[in-house]
Amino acid sequence: MADTGNTQANTGGGFPWLQQLSRTLRRGEIALAAGLICILTVLILPMPAWLLDISLAFSVTVSVLILMVVLFIQKPLDFSTFPTVLLIVTMTRLSLNLASTRLILTHGHEGSDAAGHVIEAFGGFIMGGNYVIGLIVFAILVLVNFVVITKGSGRIAEVSARFSLDAMPGKQMAIDADLSAGLIDETQARTRRKELEDESSFFGSMDGAAKFVRGDAIAGLIITFINIVGGIIIGVAQQDMSMGDAAKSYTLLTVGDGLVTQIPALIVSTAAGMLVTKAGIDGSTDKALFAQLSGHPAALGMSAFLMAVMAVLPGIPALPFLLLAGLAGGAAYVVSRRQKVVAEEAVTAVAQQQATAPVLEEPITSALSIDAVRIELGYGLLGLINAEQGHRLTDQIKALRRQLAGEMGFVLPAVRIQDNLQINANSYVVRVKEIEAGRGDLRPNMLLVMDPRGDKINLTGEETVEPTFGLPAMWVDPSLREEALFRGYTVVDPSTVITTHLTEIIKDNMSELLSHAETQKLLDELPKEQQKLVADLIPGQISVSGVQRVLQALLGERVSIRDLPNVLEGISEACGYSRNVTIITEHVRARLARQISDAATDQTGVIPILTLSPEWEQAFAEALHGEGEEKQLVMAPTVLQQFIQLVRQAFERHTIMGESPVLLTSPGIRPYVRSIIERFRPITTVMSQNEIHARARIRTLGQI
């Protein structure tokens, strides 16, 4: 039983050392190491002729394999091991060169098969037994490989490596930007970074690997020269051969050896050149080349025409050129037809996709959006926004936005202009946050004439009312412009009428249009040196909403907030003793006294004022009840009506006299007096004594 078991063990195991060797060679790194050791061994030990034949055939096969792989890969990184492969095959060819040199110099006098049948075949077939022809062919191959292919591919590899390294920071930033924008996830970003690093490393390696090919070509040339000279010396000096026989024998063998090694070197050089030139090509090389070369039927047609012309020139054989002209012309026709079919199919596909695509329903949330300011035009006024006159209206609105920003420190939101078929053809409507704020009627091809003195207009036209201020006016023909100006009338075109009306509406509603976002934007756009003030003020002393309410109160009375740092300093001072927005606003107004006084000054350089009598001052002061935010004016309706009547009479009397006086009150009651007057005379300016600048000149017109 024991013998049987041993027999089974020996039968099943075979040769244990052979199995162990097989398992070892199956490991890739061991096999590669063994192959490199064999290459190094060839550099030291002699190689028999039959093994040299096998090795040379293997070298040619591997070179063709490398070229085919380069042709069919989709991108250069698919063959990222090419520099390593290039080093190995170059080392293999050099070792085979050394082995063949040893055989040629040792046995070259024995005959043409001294270095193996592969070298003999190349020497006999390509050279035809004439070593002069062999030398010329060998020299041409070396020049093509060394001067043309190797030099060009080396230059491309060098430039590609440099550009790849220079572009790496920008590509890294693009990946980070896509990741931050959510276009890719972390895994995709990591993959793209790895590809970028691999690409940079690959082109850097290719730059160095190109030197292998260059060195291989130089080494082949030197080895060939040494073999010829050494062979002749050995044949004449040691083998007693004549100079002619020695030159013929050793030259045939040497050139055959050079050809059998230079042809694989040329193939690998071509593969290297195609690999480095493939950086900007998508897909395999054959598809890219054929697609691009045949993608222009006009170029094929011109080539066919040129070859047809060449065929009819005297002395030139017509058949080859006519044949090629026919092939190029046929290809041009086929490609042209194919492009038309593809274009028609693309149009059809797009039409079918649009026809079958479901109609996307507009999101319900879009109905929630509100236009801050919108102008609706009747269809008769659409000519104001056409190519001829449209820039007139839009440019005036742009100028209005810039004017408001410069005068009031308020950035007007974008004004939307749209048509509205539900209103009269020559009418327009101005809406603020979807609510109608004003409307008017225009005559698009006429001019609006107004008399500043209020007298009757003595021109031929259509009487009307100016929509902004309600003044009497008249629409006249444009031919009467010069006459109207000569008579001192004010003449404006329809676009200016809309812009003027829009200006007054905006000024009346600036407080509503100043949103929280616009307030934050104003704060963010302050100069860098003012940001410390903002940081100290918000949110420690007051919130952005509190600042917004103060700015709205100022804009509500048409006080410019352009000097925003001064306004913020005033808010910071007032927050030290009060959180009441009304009190803070009054303190800011006092800080803006010079600005407010300047705005109230008339053409003569003085501020015309009407003051409240002590009785009314006391009546308002006694009518205030509550503290802080809860303080409010409690006054009998009959008393309020009496006050309104007195104010209306006083201002109308001075308006007739050409005056626009300011109502002056004490600081404590000013906001409450203003809240009453703005309901029936919103354009009336109400100031307190604290808002009269020390250097301002005043003129008292009367007392209420």
Side-chain angles (χ1 to χ4, degrees), residues 131-163:
Y131 64 89
V132 177
I133 296 176
L135 283 175
I136 295 174
V137 172
F138 175 75
I140 292 174
L141 287 177
V142 171
L143 286 175
V144 169
N145 188 14
F146 180 71
V147 177
V148 180
I149 300 178
T150 304
K151 188 173 183 180
S153 60
R155 180 59 178 168
I156 293 175
E158 179 184 354
V159 174
S160 299
R162 185 183 305 168
F163 285 177

Side-chain angles (χ1 to χ4, degrees), residues 131-365:
Y131 64 89
V132 177
I133 296 176
L135 283 175
I136 295 174
V137 172
F138 175 75
I140 292 174
L141 287 177
V142 171
L143 286 175
V144 169
N145 188 14
F146 180 71
V147 177
V148 180
I149 300 178
T150 304
K151 188 173 183 180
S153 60
R155 180 59 178 168
I156 293 175
E158 179 184 354
V159 174
S160 299
R162 185 183 305 168
F163 285 177
S164 178
L165 290 174
D166 292 343
M168 179 177 285
K171 293 181 179 179
Q172 289 279 15
M173 294 177 62
I175 295 173
D176 295 339
D178 290 346
L179 179 61
S180 302
L183 301 178
I184 58 175
D185 55 22
E186 184 63 34
T187 303
Q188 293 172 320
R190 191 179 300 110
T191 302
R192 288 174 58 178
R193 291 193 189 100
K194 182 65 169 58
E195 291 179 354
L196 184 59
E197 294 173 0
D198 292 344
E199 180 183 351
S200 178
S201 301
F202 171 75
F203 284 112
S205 301
M206 284 300 300
D207 184 22
K211 305 300 186 295
F212 295 152
V213 181
R214 183 185 182 91
D216 184 20
I218 297 175
L221 184 62
I222 295 175
I223 290 172
T224 301
F225 176 76
I226 292 174
N227 283 352
I228 293 175
V229 176
I232 293 174
I233 294 174
I234 291 174
V236 173
Q238 298 182 0
Q239 304 299 334
D240 297 329
M241 299 175 65
S242 65
M243 179 65 71
D245 292 339
K248 179 178 180 181
S249 177
Y250 285 99
T251 302
L252 285 174
L253 289 172
T254 301
V255 174
D257 174 42
L259 291 174
V260 83
T261 54
Q262 279 302 312
I263 290 176
L266 182 61
I267 294 174
V268 174
S269 300
T270 304
M274 295 185 68
L275 188 63
V276 295
T277 56
K278 191 179 174 59
I281 300 176
D282 295 330
S284 60
T285 305
D286 60 325
K287 294 180 180 178
L289 287 177
F290 291 142
Q292 294 180 12
L293 289 177
S294 63
H296 304 280
L300 290 172
M302 291 300 297
S303 300
F305 174 75
L306 179 60
M307 284 183 284
V309 172
M310 293 287 292
V312 300
L313 293 178
I316 294 181
L319 182 60
F321 287 95
L322 288 177
L323 179 61
L324 292 175
L327 291 176
Y333 176 77
V334 172
V335 171
S336 178
R337 293 284 298 176
R338 184 184 301 170
Q339 288 183 350
K340 290 181 180 179
V341 171
V342 171
E344 292 175 357
E345 291 178 352
V347 172
T348 304
V350 171
Q352 291 178 352
Q353 183 178 3
Q354 293 177 350
T356 57
V359 179
L360 297 178
E361 184 178 356
E362 187 178 3
I364 298 178
T365 54

Side-chain angles (χ1 to χ4, degrees), residues 429-505:
V429 177
V430 180
R431 297 184 183 273
V432 176
K433 294 187 176 181
E434 305 292 333
I435 306 300
E436 182 178 330
R439 67 166 56 217
D441 293 325
L442 303 177
R443 299 297 178 265
N445 297 320
M446 303 180 73
L447 299 175
L448 186 68
V449 176
M450 294 169 288
D451 189 346
R453 300 177 295 274
D455 297 336
K456 183 179 179 181
I457 300 174
N458 296 320
L459 292 174
T460 303
E462 177 184 348
E463 293 185 357
T464 184
V465 176
E466 195 274 332
T468 305
F469 303 104
L471 302 176
M474 177 177 290
W475 290 105
V476 301
D477 189 85
S479 60
L480 299 177
R481 175 193 290 270
E482 298 298 332
E483 183 179 353
L485 293 174
F486 179 76
R487 295 188 180 187
Y489 298 151
T490 301
V491 182
V492 294
D493 57 20
S495 297
T496 305
V497 174
I498 297 179
T499 306
T500 304
H501 199 178
L502 177 64
T503 302
E504 293 302 315
I505 292 175

